[in-house]
mmCIF file of all heavy atoms in Angstrom:
data_model
loop_
_atom_site.group_PDB
_atom_site.id
_atom_site.type_symbol
_atom_site.label_atom_id
_atom_site.label_comp_id
_atom_site.label_asym_id
_atom_site.label_seq_id
_atom_site.Cartn_x
_atom_site.Cartn_y
_atom_site.Cartn_z
ATOM 1 N N SER U 274 0.051 -15.025 -20.445
ATOM 2 C CA SER U 274 -0.733 -14.055 -19.667
ATOM 3 C C SER U 274 -0.460 -12.645 -20.182
ATOM 4 O O SER U 274 0.449 -12.434 -20.994
ATOM 5 C CB SER U 274 -0.341 -14.129 -18.191
ATOM 6 O OG SER U 274 0.981 -13.627 -18.022
ATOM 7 N N ALA U 275 -1.200 -11.709 -19.655
ATOM 8 C CA ALA U 275 -0.995 -10.305 -20.035
ATOM 9 C C ALA U 275 0.309 -9.765 -19.462
ATOM 10 O O ALA U 275 1.025 -9.012 -20.116
ATOM 11 C CB ALA U 275 -2.180 -9.469 -19.550
ATOM 12 N N LEU U 276 0.621 -10.159 -18.250
ATOM 13 C CA LEU U 276 1.875 -9.683 -17.665
ATOM 14 C C LEU U 276 3.061 -10.174 -18.483
ATOM 15 O O LEU U 276 4.050 -9.472 -18.645
ATOM 16 C CB LEU U 276 2.005 -10.143 -16.202
ATOM 17 C CG LEU U 276 0.959 -9.601 -15.218
ATOM 18 C CD1 LEU U 276 1.282 -10.060 -13.800
ATOM 19 C CD2 LEU U 276 0.883 -8.080 -15.266
ATOM 20 N N MET U 279 3.541 -7.792 -21.337
ATOM 21 C CA MET U 279 4.237 -6.546 -20.976
ATOM 22 C C MET U 279 5.749 -6.744 -21.083
ATOM 23 O O MET U 279 6.468 -5.924 -21.645
ATOM 24 C CB MET U 279 3.907 -6.149 -19.528
ATOM 25 C CG MET U 279 2.487 -5.714 -19.295
ATOM 26 S SD MET U 279 2.271 -5.299 -17.542
ATOM 27 C CE MET U 279 0.501 -4.996 -17.510
ATOM 28 N N PHE U 299 -1.580 -1.486 -12.903
ATOM 29 C CA PHE U 299 -1.091 -2.278 -14.033
ATOM 30 C C PHE U 299 -0.113 -1.479 -14.899
ATOM 31 O O PHE U 299 0.923 -1.994 -15.321
ATOM 32 C CB PHE U 299 -2.259 -2.832 -14.849
ATOM 33 C CG PHE U 299 -3.007 -3.893 -14.101
ATOM 34 C CD1 PHE U 299 -4.275 -3.648 -13.578
ATOM 35 C CD2 PHE U 299 -2.439 -5.130 -13.865
ATOM 36 C CE1 PHE U 299 -4.952 -4.625 -12.856
ATOM 37 C CE2 PHE U 299 -3.100 -6.111 -13.141
ATOM 38 C CZ PHE U 299 -4.368 -5.854 -12.638
ATOM 39 N N ASN U 344 -7.510 0.488 -20.254
ATOM 40 C CA ASN U 344 -8.496 0.470 -19.161
ATOM 41 C C ASN U 344 -7.784 0.024 -17.888
ATOM 42 O O ASN U 344 -7.408 -1.132 -17.762
ATOM 43 C CB ASN U 344 -9.631 -0.496 -19.509
ATOM 44 C CG ASN U 344 -10.803 -0.384 -18.553
ATOM 45 O OD1 ASN U 344 -11.563 0.573 -18.591
ATOM 46 N ND2 ASN U 344 -10.940 -1.360 -17.658
ATOM 47 N N THR U 346 -7.763 -1.386 -14.809
ATOM 48 C CA THR U 346 -8.687 -2.197 -14.027
ATOM 49 C C THR U 346 -8.569 -1.900 -12.534
ATOM 50 O O THR U 346 -9.499 -2.136 -11.769
ATOM 51 C CB THR U 346 -8.379 -3.695 -14.275
ATOM 52 O OG1 THR U 346 -8.046 -3.853 -15.646
ATOM 53 C CG2 THR U 346 -9.551 -4.563 -13.931
ATOM 54 N N ASP U 372 -2.233 -2.005 -23.477
ATOM 55 C CA ASP U 372 -2.849 -3.046 -22.645
ATOM 56 C C ASP U 372 -4.361 -2.934 -22.823
ATOM 57 O O ASP U 372 -4.951 -1.903 -22.488
ATOM 58 C CB ASP U 372 -2.422 -2.781 -21.177
ATOM 59 C CG ASP U 372 -3.071 -3.727 -20.178
ATOM 60 O OD1 ASP U 372 -4.170 -4.235 -20.457
ATOM 61 O OD2 ASP U 372 -2.486 -3.916 -19.104
ATOM 62 N N VAL U 374 -6.458 -5.477 -21.684
ATOM 63 C CA VAL U 374 -6.904 -6.664 -20.947
ATOM 64 C C VAL U 374 -8.377 -6.551 -20.551
ATOM 65 O O VAL U 374 -9.148 -7.480 -20.761
ATOM 66 C CB VAL U 374 -6.043 -6.904 -19.688
ATOM 67 C CG1 VAL U 374 -6.576 -8.111 -18.920
ATOM 68 C CG2 VAL U 374 -4.595 -7.126 -20.060
ATOM 69 N N SER U 375 -8.758 -5.418 -19.991
ATOM 70 C CA SER U 375 -10.141 -5.336 -19.509
ATOM 71 C C SER U 375 -11.025 -4.477 -20.412
ATOM 72 O O SER U 375 -12.161 -4.177 -20.049
ATOM 73 C CB SER U 375 -10.164 -4.838 -18.057
ATOM 74 O OG SER U 375 -9.385 -3.665 -17.932
ATOM 75 N N SER U 393 -5.467 -10.912 -21.629
ATOM 76 C CA SER U 393 -5.607 -12.303 -21.201
ATOM 77 C C SER U 393 -7.097 -12.622 -21.186
ATOM 78 O O SER U 393 -7.931 -11.729 -21.262
ATOM 79 C CB SER U 393 -4.936 -12.538 -19.846
ATOM 80 O OG SER U 393 -5.177 -11.477 -18.961
ATOM 81 N N GLN U 395 -9.279 -14.132 -19.031
ATOM 82 C CA GLN U 395 -10.174 -14.315 -17.876
ATOM 83 C C GLN U 395 -10.992 -13.068 -17.543
ATOM 84 O O GLN U 395 -11.650 -13.017 -16.525
ATOM 85 C CB GLN U 395 -9.365 -14.776 -16.655
ATOM 86 C CG GLN U 395 -8.509 -13.717 -15.984
ATOM 87 C CD GLN U 395 -7.151 -13.550 -16.644
ATOM 88 O OE1 GLN U 395 -6.935 -13.984 -17.752
ATOM 89 N NE2 GLN U 395 -6.224 -12.898 -15.964
ATOM 90 N N LYS U 396 -10.942 -12.062 -18.412
ATOM 91 C CA LYS U 396 -11.743 -10.864 -18.162
ATOM 92 C C LYS U 396 -12.878 -10.810 -19.189
ATOM 93 O O LYS U 396 -13.808 -11.586 -19.090
ATOM 94 C CB LYS U 396 -10.827 -9.659 -18.141
ATOM 95 C CG LYS U 396 -9.783 -9.900 -17.045
ATOM 96 C CD LYS U 396 -9.006 -8.757 -16.550
ATOM 97 C CE LYS U 396 -8.091 -9.276 -15.446
ATOM 98 N NZ LYS U 396 -7.044 -8.366 -15.063
HETATM 99 C C1 PLP V 240 -5.704 -8.360 -15.118
HETATM 100 C C2 PLP V 240 -4.879 -7.355 -15.800
HETATM 101 C C3 PLP V 240 -3.550 -7.626 -16.164
HETATM 102 C C4 PLP V 240 -2.852 -8.900 -15.790
HETATM 103 O O1 PLP V 240 -3.396 -10.003 -16.437
HETATM 104 P P1 PLP V 240 -2.742 -11.454 -16.167
HETATM 105 O O2 PLP V 240 -3.602 -12.353 -16.965
HETATM 106 O O3 PLP V 240 -2.813 -11.689 -14.708
HETATM 107 O O4 PLP V 240 -1.352 -11.406 -16.652
HETATM 108 C C5 PLP V 240 -2.859 -6.653 -16.834
HETATM 109 N N1 PLP V 240 -3.419 -5.460 -17.143
HETATM 110 C C6 PLP V 240 -4.692 -5.175 -16.835
HETATM 111 C C7 PLP V 240 -5.267 -3.860 -17.211
HETATM 112 C C8 PLP V 240 -5.455 -6.120 -16.149
HETATM 113 O O5 PLP V 240 -6.726 -5.831 -15.833
#
Side-chain angles (χ1 to χ4, degrees):
S274 69
L276 296 184
M279 291 180 186
F299 290 108
N344 190 73
T346 322
D372 176 333
V374 178
S375 50
S393 41
Q395 74 275 16
K396 302 197 178 166

